[in-house]
Amino acid sequence: SPRYTQVSPRRWLNLQEYQSKKLMQDSGVTVQRFFVADTASEALEAAKRLKAKEIVLKAQILAGGRGKGVFDSGLKGGVHLTKDPAVVGELAGKMLGFSLTTKQTPKEGVKVKTVMVAEALDISRETYFAILMDRSCNGPVMVGSPQGGVDIEEVAAATPELIFKEVIDIFEGVRDDQALRMAANLGFKGPLERQAANQIKRLYDLFLKVDATQVEVNPLGETPEGQVVCFDAKINFDDNAEFRQKAVFAMDDTAESDPLETEAARHDLKYIGLDGNIACFVNGAGLAMATCDIIDLHGGKPANFLDLGGGVKENQVYAAFKLLTADPKVEAILVNIFGGIVNCAIIANGITKACRELELKVPLVVRLEGTNVQEAKRILSESGLPITSATDLDDAAKKAVAAIAKN
């Protein structure tokens, strides 16, 4: 299938590792002791204050694969271990203000503005633990495996008997017997079993407190000194809870996001940039994907995936057009609206306003269907603007591709 149809929903909230660990710390979850630094001298001070046998220095970027990344300062690796605080200062000097390129970053890399200076701990055993919302159970479920530190999907495929689940009653919370059973299934023995059960209960407290949809700890580890520690965690949040999680959402780090995606999110639009030249302006994710496919079928290439959603307002239509025309790759715009909840006349008014105010320079093909469509077609035809109407999606795609061929 064409590459651009592999669209995953953009995670609204992006937190850096140190931010997730701070949230965990605040809920009484055991994490490595750490400090955050923005300068090399701060990193050096932090390393001295830790008074740790060994220190781990981590560049803070959202992309994965940091350990194997390369900085444009020449430094290799975004994660370093050392016993000497002075080395932490030197390494931080080669990280901060420089771009780190990993397998998940753009080619030019991502500028590192913050580093985390943490106590390095030995891990004698790694387990996997997560709490997530499960539709089939109508609520949260705990998932655990004694096989941690690796891709959990691989464990599930190769040894499904090593995946353990506990359904949580949303009114009761995690019961003692459930937490202890999960700790035992994860392989914690003796006093570590109770310690792990306590960590599990605290992770559930965090899950509720921040309106998470998922808290995944991989690995939930055991140290040679007999401590249960959450070494790495990924937290996903419910976008709909933003109104009561203002402090959490204020931490959103958009510096690494596509600026167009960030701007779209401000207007409640879902935008994903692609590498073609026909901009798509659609309501509904399914229709957007179908539009991308039909453009491809007729020999064109979509420049983006833009989903207006249901309760669209005229100013969102204007904002969407502004976004699309800001992309220099765009050579034509295809509007494909199927009005159910959406009033086509609102779309038509938004389109005419945007065309006039933005002085649209590229061909515009519009296909409207559904609620108030006759009024919408009247608005467009009386506007005097060079808008090409289409009868259906197939016709619209052909006309958009043809418009580019003419130019």
Side-chain angles (χ1 to χ4, degrees), residues 155-323:
V155 177
T159 49
E161 69 279 6
L162 292 179
I163 303 283
F164 298 94
K165 289 182 183 175
E166 291 277 348
V167 177
I168 302 167
D169 183 310
I170 197 80
F171 298 108
E172 277 189 308
V174 177
R175 298 189 313 272
D176 265 5
D177 64 304
Q178 284 185 303
L180 285 164
R181 187 162 55 239
M182 180 57 83
N185 283 333
L186 294 179
F188 291 104
K189 297 191 168 50
L192 286 178
E193 190 180 314
R194 170 55 70 184
Q195 201 190 129
N198 286 340
Q199 289 296 303
I200 285 167
K201 293 187 86 161
R202 285 172 185 175
L203 284 162
Y204 182 65
D205 291 344
L206 167 70
F207 180 83
L208 286 186
K209 190 166 87 180
V210 299
D211 282 303
T213 52
Q214 175 177 295
V215 173
E216 183 183 49
V217 181
N218 191 17
L220 175 63
E222 186 180 305
T223 70
E225 294 77 31
Q227 203 181 14
V228 178
V229 181
C230 294
F231 282 95
D232 206 356
K234 181 180 174 208
I235 308 174
N236 287 6
F237 301 87
D238 184 349
D239 302 348
N240 298 310
E242 185 177 2
F243 73 97
R244 66 179 179 204
Q245 294 291 347
K246 291 205 165 32
V248 172
F249 277 76
M251 293 193 277
D252 191 9
D253 191 332
T254 57
E256 291 173 47
S257 303
D258 179 329
L260 287 176
E261 285 183 27
T262 305
E263 181 61 20
R266 277 187 48 230
H267 298 282
D268 289 329
L269 301 166
K270 291 183 180 66
Y271 176 95
I272 297 169
L274 301 168
D275 48 13
N277 54 3
I278 298 176
C280 305
F281 178 89
V282 191
N283 64 317
L287 193 59
M289 289 168 96
T291 305
C292 287
D293 279 341
I294 290 183
I295 287 171
D296 191 74
L297 182 73
H298 290 296
K301 285 273 179 275
N304 69 282
F305 168 102
L306 180 88
D307 175 11
L308 276 176
V312 66
K313 297 178 180 67
E314 206 176 298
N315 62 335
Q316 283 175 293
V317 176
Y318 180 80
F321 260 80
K322 206 168 173 184
L323 277 170

Side-chain angles (χ1 to χ4, degrees), residues 4-5 7 21 44 52 72 88 97 100 111 134 142 157 195 204-205 221 236 238 242 249 270 319 331 337 352 364:
Y4 54 79
T5 57
V7 173
K21 288 208 166 143
L44 173 63
D72 57 3
V88 171
L100 173 59
K111 186 173 276 197
D134 184 358
M142 292 192 280
Q195 201 190 129
Y204 182 65
D205 291 344
N236 287 6
D238 184 349
E242 185 177 2
F249 277 76
K270 291 183 180 66
E331 293 177 41
I337 300 293
T352 53
L364 172 63

